[in-house]
Amino acid sequence: MARFASEAELETFLGKLDQDYGQYASAVWQNGVRTAQQLANADKEDLVAAGVTSAIHAKDIKARAGPQVSQEQAHSSAWQQQAAATDQTGQYVRQLLEPALTTVPLAADVPSLFQSALYCSGTLPFPVPDVFYESQKRQDDDMKYYLAPVSRSGAVAFSSTIHAVLLKNFPAGSEMVQAGQFDQLVCDIMELLDQYARQLNLKRKRNEGEVSLTLNAKRPDLCVLVRSALLFKGEDKTEEGQLDQAVAELKQKMRRWSQSYHGQVEFLLCYAMAGGRVRICMLRRDDPDSCHVVSGDHSIYDMRGRLELVRIAILLYRILAIQQTQLPSDAVPLASVLEFSSGTKITVMEDYVIKRVDIEKQPLLVDRLAELQELYKATRASKHLIASEEGPHIHKKYTVILSPFGEQLGPSYLSFRIQSLAQLQAAIRCILFALRDLHAAKFAHTDIRWPNVIKCNNETFRLIDLETAVILGCKWSVRQHGPHRVGWRNNTLTQGRYTAGSDLALVGQLLTEPGLPPLGESGSHFAEELMAKSLSLEQALHHVWLHP
């Protein structure tokens, strides 16, 4: 016994030496004795001063404690070696996670799951060292529903983790200190489960420095990723009175849903922690402005609170394991970097992207910076154009923070992501609305191709890559605007100028791409009219093909 976890363990030890010696446990404990080695090393006088009222008993305790320490150390070492060789943690974890959830819970049912995680997360009690179990059970008989001697299950690795969590001293401290405490109680447990169950590939990200203070303020304190998608997040505060503030920030940070990451996921589980109190919450796709509380408050400073949080960790793992089936199979990994030969790098975040361009490869951006800043500002409110969250600016590289992030519509994805005529018509309508906003700001796009369109959901699409935009009606200049764009035809320019009709002609070309649903006679005629520049933007928006 290396160290006594409680006065009860000290009493057990003294009682093994002699049945009369257990009576001294309270006094000796109050005087700071915590290990058997301290008893063996103490003088008889020290033990008397520490509360052993009989000098004869003090001398006998000292004499017996030394051999007992050696014997228990040898026994412990042998038991640990044997236990490690026969560790049953894998089998225990499989039993703990049964029965597996076969369907994703409805968002409306989630609160009932968390009302008592003790009963909803499996009925197996947690294995802990046998002596620790006995001491806890003597102090609180209900602990038999939470804990069990490790000798019963043989789950040594699990027992070691749980024992450490329950004995850990969690002092009050900064947000980062409290974050570490939550991680030990919840995240470490989920990762231990995954080590044996292998149902998820969890990745944990704590708040890190970002490219700007603006973005750093938007990131939750904790992000747990499953298959690159954010499925669990959290906010930490130092003072207990800030718990409601932490809940409010859950709604503000990374609250927008991205179909690219979340597919059919309908709710996002999260936690708020303040001053050692933890509250589990849920964000719903159909109610993004609300944060629903799904559990009571649990304290990390008492045994019951810690055990409930461990149970919650198990329930979280089970829910995330079934939620991952709703994620898209082709999601771009969060924080991945897409590089292009043009010198452009796109860093993909949960609801925004960071676009950086090497100005040595695209030097025209330096001269056009003020113009592009004006463009992004003028179109900020558009629901059909990519929007700037920050920038653009140039500091070594051209940089702009853009939202939202959507599904790419390049050649490899076009037939997969536009699967019906109705979806195609929705996409064209959104592109035309985007051009209406862009032209109202006195700009034209110039590079309308499917790779420059993103799908936000089945009915919403946005036009992106505004760096190609020019002043509407300008005389085209290779020196000022660069070479003609890929895919332009001989009639794209009108008397050397890029006009509103030039953009519309490119929209018509979109409809001729292979892999799209059949247009029908009306759709084919619509595409021809656009490419011939015989329709105005308003006429195109009201065309019969777009309003079947």
Side-chain angles (χ1 to χ4, degrees), residues 468-530:
T468 66
V470 299
I471 299 296
L472 185 63
C474 69
K475 187 80 172 179
W476 193 268
S477 165
V478 173
R479 183 185 63 81
Q480 184 178 356
H481 305 117
H484 290 185
R485 309 298 188 222
V486 174
W488 277 16
R489 296 183 177 182
N490 292 334
N491 70 334
T492 299
L493 298 177
T494 301
Q495 297 180 346
R497 294 185 178 276
Y498 196 93
T499 66
S502 303
D503 270 348
L504 291 173
L506 297 181
V507 176
Q509 289 177 216
L510 290 179
L511 291 170
T512 67
E513 290 286 335
L516 293 174
L519 302 180
E521 184 178 348
S522 177
S524 297
H525 183 60
F526 180 48
E528 291 170 1
E529 289 181 295
L530 289 171

Side-chain angles (χ1 to χ4, degrees), residues 256 351-353 385-389 401-405 462:
R256 288 176 287 187
D351 59 356
Y352 61 90
V353 299
L385 289 166
I386 196 74
S388 166
E389 296 288 335
I401 313 303
L402 301 167
S403 70
F405 175 68
R462 292 203 184 210

Side-chain angles (χ1 to χ4, degrees), residues 82-93:
Q82 179 181 2
T86 59
D87 185 12
Q88 299 298 310
T89 294
Q91 179 178 344
Y92 173 81
V93 167

Side-chain angles (χ1 to χ4, degrees), residues 347-377:
T347 302
V348 180
M349 303 307 293
E350 194 268 344
D351 59 356
Y352 61 90
V353 299
I354 307 166
K355 182 175 185 176
R356 298 183 179 94
V357 184
D358 185 344
I359 56 177
E360 291 186 2
K361 290 190 174 184
Q362 296 193 41
L364 292 178
L365 290 174
V366 177
D367 296 332
R368 299 192 60 234
L369 179 62
E371 187 177 286
L372 290 170
Q373 289 172 335
E374 178 188 346
L375 165 61
Y376 274 112
K377 181 178 179 181

Side-chain angles (χ1 to χ4, degrees), residues 259-261 328-332 405-420 422-424 427 450 453-461 515-517:
Q259 186 168 329
S260 301
Y261 290 122
S329 59
D330 57 346
V332 178
F405 175 68
E407 298 179 31
Q408 296 176 305
L409 292 180
S412 301
Y413 304 105
L414 195 54
S415 61
F416 175 71
R417 290 178 172 157
I418 297 184
Q419 298 182 333
S420 68
Q423 272 193 333
L424 177 58
W450 285 117
V453 180
I454 57 172
K455 177 183 175 182
C456 300
N457 58 50
N458 288 335
E459 298 179 353
T460 306
F461 299 78
L516 293 174

Side-chain angles (χ1 to χ4, degrees), residues 10-63:
L10 173 58
E11 181 181 355
T12 299
F13 179 82
L14 290 172
K16 288 181 178 179
L17 301 182
D18 190 284
Q19 62 182 4
D20 293 331
Y21 296 166
Q23 63 180 309
Y24 301 125
S26 180
V28 172
W29 180 264
Q30 293 300 319
N31 280 281
V33 174
R34 295 293 183 269
T35 68
Q37 197 67 53
Q38 290 171 344
L39 292 173
N41 293 340
D43 293 331
K44 178 185 68 175
E45 291 76 13
D46 293 330
L47 291 175
V48 171
V52 181
T53 54
S54 166
I56 295 176
H57 286 178
K59 183 177 180 180
D60 191 44
I61 287 173
K62 173 179 171 57

